[in-house]
Amino acid sequence: MHKIKLLTRKEDISFFLENIEKSKTIAIDIEFMRRNTFFPEPCIIQISDGNNHSCIDLTLNVNYKEIFDNILNQNKTIIIHSCRQDLEILYMTLGYTPLNIFDTQFAASFLGFKYQIGYAEIVKEILKININKNEKMTDWKKRPLTENQLTYAVNDVIYLNNLYEYLLKKLIETKKINFFEEEFNNFLNDIELQPNYKLAWKRIRTINSFSDKLKNIIKILAVWREKKAITLNLPRNWILTEKEIIDISKYFANNNKILLPKNKNILDLKQEALEIEDEINKFLFDKSYDDIKPKKTIHNYRHTLNELYEYYKIVSLKNHISHEIMSPKKLVLDFLKNNNRQSKLVNGWRKELIDIKKISSITEEFFNSYN
């Protein structure tokens, strides 16, 4: 492989992209930093058509939307391993995401590989190539980047075209290509390319261990923290940690007053406390907050839930599909709690693999008891 250089001049970037413009497949990966900010900071993008590879600086003062338009905004297949964060960064940088994406990690889940398998691991398993990960902790904002760092970066794309060809062939051979395409489209449609602060409370791992009253306060604080982190572009834990959110919530529940930690120099403590109290009052009276108020839950469904999980695991093993793809927790819970007969859990590609009579026998008594 020729010596890798970081392209920092618009002319050099355009020359490289013109050389690969006719390629039907383009592999990409993005290195970014997210240590001191809420939003990721794009640093470099690695691109390969299987034969030509390069790293492009993403910290330049140039119009990237214009530069990448002929590569990423055409009818090409864009190959990415674990695409979610790369798509978020592309959307931030370009204002759009590519149309035809093939995610090698997602495809592998339909072919008997472990769920969310890493790039280096799947390269080793399929291509028998070991990738050196010594530069994993690189500060990608730092300039200049060493030859070893750039080699590490470009290694994340030079094998993606071969992986794509192998995985696509196997999906077709096993007659799962339609399954993969349908589920991957569902996955892409569910990606939120812009932060959704209203659901930030779901990040509080211990929230379900508290009373409903305390949950409400914790949810308000979590949402407030997310909005503040977005506004200031700072890590959410710099605003408040999970423990601080819980401690503040407990204090408010007992004293009807917000008491913020005194060491938060980035906050106007008095003003922010008043702001949070106002948010809590809005929560009590404003119907627009209904989506974070406690919803009615169904109790005593653990047996049915476990039986359903076990059945789908058997189907997954039989068809060499990751059970996390076949029966994600969110789908199973929605199906049971809402008696959702239109759920993807029992429709689409899954319907071709499951025994709907078996599903009915597992859930019939449960659904009848809650009608």
Side-chain angles (χ1 to χ4, degrees):
M1 186 173 68
H2 64 277
K3 183 177 179 181
I4 300 298
K5 295 181 179 180
L6 180 64
L7 303 184
T8 60
R9 297 171 63 244
K10 184 177 179 181
E11 296 80 5
D12 295 334
I13 297 172
S14 297
F15 180 76
F16 168 72
L17 295 179
E18 285 170 5
N19 280 341
I20 64 172
E21 188 174 335
K22 293 182 180 179
S23 302
K24 293 181 179 180
T25 61
I26 299 290
I28 70 168
D29 183 58
I30 298 174
E31 304 295 346
F32 62 93
M33 299 299 293
R34 203 173 195 168
R35 293 176 184 170
N36 304 318
T37 60
F38 179 88
F39 294 99
E41 298 179 280
C43 297
I44 66 172
I45 182 170
Q46 307 95 280
I47 301 181
S48 172
D49 67 353
N51 298 307
N52 304 284
H53 334 288
S54 198
C55 297
I56 297 173
D57 198 335
L58 288 180
T59 68
L60 308 174
N61 185 24
V62 297
N63 185 341
Y64 289 107
K65 184 175 182 180
E66 177 185 285
I67 290 175
F68 290 119
D69 192 57
N70 288 337
I71 292 295
L72 300 181
N73 200 21
Q74 290 190 350
N75 191 29
K76 297 179 184 296
T77 298
I78 306 300
I79 310 164
I80 310 176
H81 187 84
S82 184
C83 70
R84 182 186 293 271
Q85 283 196 308
D86 295 280
L87 294 183
E88 291 173 358
I89 294 171
L90 285 175
Y91 186 80
M92 281 175 50
T93 306
L94 308 178
Y96 64 83
T97 58
L99 294 176
N100 301 311
I101 301 165
F102 187 98
D103 188 318
T104 50
Q105 185 185 74
F106 205 94
S109 293
F110 281 85
L111 294 168
F113 293 91
K114 76 176 186 181
Y115 182 60
Q116 294 186 339
I117 188 171
Y119 174 72
E121 189 175 355
I122 195 172
V123 167
K124 184 176 181 179
E125 285 198 33
I126 293 177
L127 304 179
K128 312 305 178 186
I129 296 172
N130 289 307
I131 297 178
N132 188 326
K133 305 298 285 185
N134 289 343
E135 301 294 340
K136 187 175 182 179
M137 301 308 294
T138 291
D139 179 352
W140 296 106
K141 288 176 64 178
K142 187 178 180 180
R143 298 292 183 269
L145 293 169
T146 68
E147 183 177 346
N148 284 342
Q149 288 169 335
L150 292 172
T151 299
Y152 165 88
V154 85
N155 274 341
D156 281 347
V157 291
I158 61 176
Y159 305 113
L160 277 176
N161 287 274
N162 289 337
L163 285 180
Y164 162 74
E165 291 175 2
Y166 175 90
L167 294 169
L168 180 63
K169 180 182 177 182
K170 290 297 182 182
L171 286 171
I172 293 171
E173 286 178 356
T174 57
K175 299 181 180 180
K176 296 177 187 173
I177 184 65
N178 291 336
F179 299 171
F180 161 74
E181 289 176 347
E182 180 186 329
E183 190 63 17
F184 188 55
N185 283 332
N186 292 335
F187 169 79
L188 290 177
N189 290 333
D190 286 341
I191 292 178
E192 294 179 341
L193 297 172
Q194 295 177 310
N196 183 355
Y197 63 83
K198 285 191 174 184
L199 298 179
W201 59 269
K202 292 188 175 183
R203 292 182 174 275
I204 308 299
R205 292 164 296 178
T206 57
I207 192 167
N208 289 325
S209 63
F210 299 107
S211 66
D212 286 346
K213 178 182 178 181
L214 202 52
K215 279 183 188 178
N216 291 339
I217 301 169
I218 291 171
K219 288 179 178 182
I220 291 297
L221 273 164
V223 170
W224 174 86
R225 178 184 70 167
E226 195 80 357
K227 289 193 290 185
K228 188 63 63 176
I230 292 168
T231 300
L232 299 178
N233 193 24
L234 292 173
R236 57 179 62 87
N237 279 347
W238 286 23
I239 308 299
L240 290 174
T241 65
E242 179 171 327
K243 183 180 184 303
E244 287 170 337
I245 286 177
I246 292 168
D247 289 344
I248 294 166
S249 300
K250 288 179 177 178
Y251 186 87
F252 183 88
N254 293 324
N255 300 280
N256 202 34
K257 182 180 179 180
I258 291 295
L259 186 64
L260 295 171
K262 293 181 179 180
N263 63 343
K264 299 295 178 179
N265 297 326
I266 57 177
L267 302 176
D268 181 336
L269 297 181
K270 185 176 180 180
Q271 181 60 37
E272 307 292 3
L274 291 172
E275 186 178 312
I276 295 169
E277 289 171 8
D278 184 54
E279 288 291 313
I280 294 174
N281 289 328
K282 281 184 181 178
F283 173 79
L284 296 175
F285 301 107
D286 188 343
K287 290 185 178 180
S288 67
Y289 280 82
D290 284 349
D291 61 338
I292 64 172
K293 288 182 180 177
K295 292 180 171 62
K296 182 180 179 181
T297 58
I298 297 174
H299 300 286
N300 303 320
Y301 65 97
R302 182 62 58 185
H303 176 75
T304 305
L305 179 67
N306 290 339
E307 196 172 348
L308 205 54
Y309 270 136
E310 287 305 312
Y311 172 70
Y312 272 92
K313 281 186 179 180
I314 292 170
V315 175
S316 300
L317 287 170
K318 179 181 178 182
N319 292 280
H320 304 286
I321 298 173
S322 166
H323 73 85
E324 290 92 344
I325 291 286
M326 184 77 189
S327 52
K329 183 177 181 181
K330 182 179 177 181
L331 268 187
V332 178
L333 291 176
D334 174 69
F335 176 65
L336 285 181
K337 288 185 177 182
N338 300 304
N339 193 2
N340 184 2
R341 304 307 173 98
Q342 304 306 312
S343 170
K344 297 184 184 75
L345 190 70
V346 291
N347 290 286
W349 65 272
R350 292 177 180 84
K351 190 173 182 179
E352 297 186 36
L353 302 179
I354 62 174
D355 181 349
I356 200 67
K357 291 182 178 179
K358 177 67 174 178
I359 301 295
S360 296
S361 69
I362 292 172
T363 59
E364 183 178 12
E365 182 178 349
F366 170 79
F367 285 142
N368 287 340
S369 67
Y370 286 99
N371 281 338

